[in-house]
Amino acid sequence: MTVTQLSASALKTRIQHEPHLFLLDVREPHEFAFARIENSVLIPLNQIPQRLGELNPQQEIVVICHHGVRSSQACQYLANSGFKQLVNLTGGIDAWSCDCDNSVPRY
């Protein structure tokens, strides 16, 4: 299973054309409260195994974290769990803040 990599600017374009794109944020609640992409859904990385039932394996899922490491781990876990359409946000929320929306705080 290959996970697609997507830059922050490419994600911004996709969101503009696909407003219902599913954005899964795998950071911790305090990180999500501080900085997030609008309409993203929080399921911390360590909760994904218990919360798989909340995700649709037939749906494309864009996975987000701080810099792209945890989201990559989440993508691999989801791929091993039968999910086929997985996208990792390269550079994470930090790249989003720098390249797309500077109103999102950096940390």
Side-chain angles (χ1 to χ4, degrees):
M1 168 76 214
T2 302
V3 173
T4 303
Q5 301 294 321
L6 189 66
S7 70
S9 57
L11 176 59
K12 183 176 182 179
T13 300
R14 288 207 50 200
I15 289 171
Q16 291 168 343
H17 294 94
E18 302 169 63
H20 300 293
L21 190 62
F22 189 78
L23 307 175
L24 174 63
D25 195 316
V26 298
R27 296 173 301 142
E28 292 300 310
H30 69 276
E31 294 175 286
F32 186 79
F34 185 73
R36 68 180 163 272
I37 299 174
E38 187 176 344
N39 298 320
S40 57
V41 173
L42 175 66
I43 301 180
L45 180 61
N46 65 354
Q47 293 180 18
I48 288 177
Q50 303 93 291
R51 296 178 65 184
L52 268 182
E54 297 175 35
L55 302 172
N56 179 352
Q58 306 307 316
Q59 181 179 33
E60 182 179 36
I61 299 174
V62 178
V63 188
I64 302 161
C65 69
H66 189 200
H67 286 113
V69 176
R70 284 176 282 178
S71 55
S72 179
Q73 292 172 339
C75 284
Q76 290 306 314
Y77 182 85
L78 292 169
N80 291 337
S81 298
F83 289 75
K84 304 282 187 225
Q85 299 180 70
L86 299 165
V87 179
N88 185 39
L89 177 60
T90 305
I93 192 77
D94 192 61
W96 178 265
S97 178
C98 290
D99 300 343
C100 300
D101 185 354
N102 62 8
S103 73
V104 174
R106 293 184 71 203
Y107 64 98

